[in-house]
């Protein structure tokens, strides 16, 4: 049978959100399965490419190409922008699209709005790490969020949706209105939740057993290892908040070592400072497989660079759900020149 050009569909943010809503446990399992495939060598995940602008140094657009093997493989690329100045203009910082390619022909078969997919896979990764890294330590009862944007909200949603509950939720953001907005969101999502807005990162860190860094920091602003003397579990989602001294004093779990030790992330700064990678204790895949045991008496830092294969896994999941619903919006004649000689 000759190869067929797949139909090309466009899936907007509303359909993406609808396909993912309320499925936190299912998505966390999907992300964990993807980490296992990646750890077994069943993926291709090249370095991300950063498009930067001399006249807009705080902004960037990142390309994440990837290929995910397994029973139903998929290739593709996420194209995601981060323009922090958008927030002052009243629109979200990040925007993204995801292209899915047919591994048999190479033809793209879907374009999906991907800011929701990106936030979802990030939150699912964080929730998986929080669960797996705390199993031998006891579940944290006090969570603190440094940075209160979309990613923080999605991480809280995934923690709540996978069975977490907390005695206290701490909040810190340089923008007071964002911190108050996040407090309002938590109060609506979990009626009766005790939410405290802190006036400093130190106050939040010292009073939290699980700390989520989800900021747009470009360089470390948290420098004192003593703040972490109570040995919390730290989800270093934004990657650049912690000084290398804090990283070196901690038990470090990454999603992918080569990816994470780039682009002046906190672990990369630790590598530059020491000249080695001895401070890296292992990967989340090794925790999932039981090959890595997490100690109870140390600060544990999970640093996820964010793998394109996770976007592909969640994007493929969304495409399949929308297709099964019969609501897939196919663009007729998108590939017009299909005869080699006309």
């Amino acid at each position: 049978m000759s190869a067929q050009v797949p139909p090309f569909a466009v899936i907007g943010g509303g359909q993406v959100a609808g396909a993912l809503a309320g499925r936190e446990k299912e998505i966390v399992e999907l992300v964990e399965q993807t980490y296992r495939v990646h750890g077994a060598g069943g993926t291709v995940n090249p370095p991300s490419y950063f498009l930067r602008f001399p006249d807009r140094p705080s902004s960037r657009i990142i390309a994440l190409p990837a290929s995910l093997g397994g029973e139903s493989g998929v290739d593709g690329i996420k194209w995601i922008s981060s323009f922090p100045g958008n927030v002052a203009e009243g629109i979200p910082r990040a925007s993204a699209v995801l292209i899915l390619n047919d591994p048999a022909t190479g033809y793209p078969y879907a374009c999906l709005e991907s800011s929701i997919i990106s936030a979802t896979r990030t939150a699912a990764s964080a929730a998986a790490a929080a669960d797996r890294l705390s199993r031998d330590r006891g579940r944290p009862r006090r969570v603190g969020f440094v940075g209160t944007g979309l990613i923080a909200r999605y991480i809280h949603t995934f923690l709540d949706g996978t069975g977490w509950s907390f005695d206290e939720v701490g909040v810190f953001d340089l923008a007071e209105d964002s911190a108050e907005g996040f407090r309002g969101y938590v109060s609506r999502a979990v009626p009766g939740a005790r939410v405290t807005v802190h006036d400093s990162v130190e106050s939040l860190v010292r009073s939290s057993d699980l700390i989520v860094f989800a900021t747009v920091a470009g360089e470390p602003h948290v420098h004192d290892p003593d703040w972490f003397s109570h040995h919390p579990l730290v989800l270093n989602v934004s990657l650049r908040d912690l000084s290398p001294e804090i990283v070196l004093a901690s038990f470090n779990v990454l999603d992918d070592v080569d990816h994470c030790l780039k682009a002046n992330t906190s672990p990369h700064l630790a590598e530059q400072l020491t000249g080695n990678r001895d401070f890296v204790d292992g990967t989340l895949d090794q925790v999932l497989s039981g090959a890595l045991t997490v100690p109870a008496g140390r600060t544990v830092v999970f640093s996820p660079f964010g793998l394109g294969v996770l976007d592909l896994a969640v994007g493929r999941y969304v495409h399949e759900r929308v297709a099964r619903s019969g609501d897939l919006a196919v663009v007729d004649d998108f590939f017009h020149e299909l005869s080699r000689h006309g």
Side-chain angles (χ1 to χ4, degrees), residues 105-164:
T105 64
Y107 273 81
Y109 64 86
C111 176
L112 301 89
E113 195 285 328
S114 198
S115 65
I116 296 171
I117 290 172
S118 187
T120 294
R121 63 85 152 148
T122 301
S125 170
D131 174 33
R132 298 291 183 161
L133 297 176
S134 65
R135 289 192 176 185
D136 295 328
R137 298 161 49 94
R139 278 206 166 186
R141 300 301 306 169
R142 302 172 300 167
V143 64
F145 291 87
V146 181
T148 55
L150 179 73
I151 298 299
R153 172 161 60 87
Y154 268 74
I155 291 173
H156 181 274
T157 296
F158 266 77
L159 291 172
D160 182 52
T162 52
W164 287 75

Side-chain angles (χ1 to χ4, degrees), residues 86-97:
N86 286 350
V87 176
E89 302 298 325
I91 61 176
R93 170 187 62 85
S95 59
V97 294

Side-chain angles (χ1 to χ4, degrees), residues 42 67-75 100-104 109 312 316 320:
S67 175
L68 176 60
E71 295 182 2
S72 53
V74 60
D75 308 326
L100 303 181
N101 293 75
D102 172 27
Y109 64 86
L312 292 185
R316 180 181 62 189
E320 291 173 351

Side-chain angles (χ1 to χ4, degrees), residues 201-266:
V201 177
E202 179 181 0
S203 172
L204 181 141
V205 168
R206 290 188 180 276
S207 63
S208 302
D209 307 311
L210 172 63
I211 304 162
V212 180
F213 284 95
T215 74
V216 294
E219 59 186 24
H221 59 95
V222 179
H223 298 276
D224 191 346
D226 185 62
W227 293 5
F228 301 82
S229 59
H230 56 301
H231 303 313
L233 171 57
V234 180
L235 303 181
N236 184 30
V237 176
S238 41
L239 286 175
R240 295 172 178 85
D241 301 85
L242 305 177
S243 71
E245 290 78 12
I246 292 172
V247 171
L248 294 173
S250 303
F251 186 88
N252 290 282
V253 180
L254 315 182
D255 60 349
D256 182 281
V257 177
D258 288 333
H259 280 76
C260 202
L261 296 180
K262 291 180 179 178
N264 288 330
T265 65
S266 295

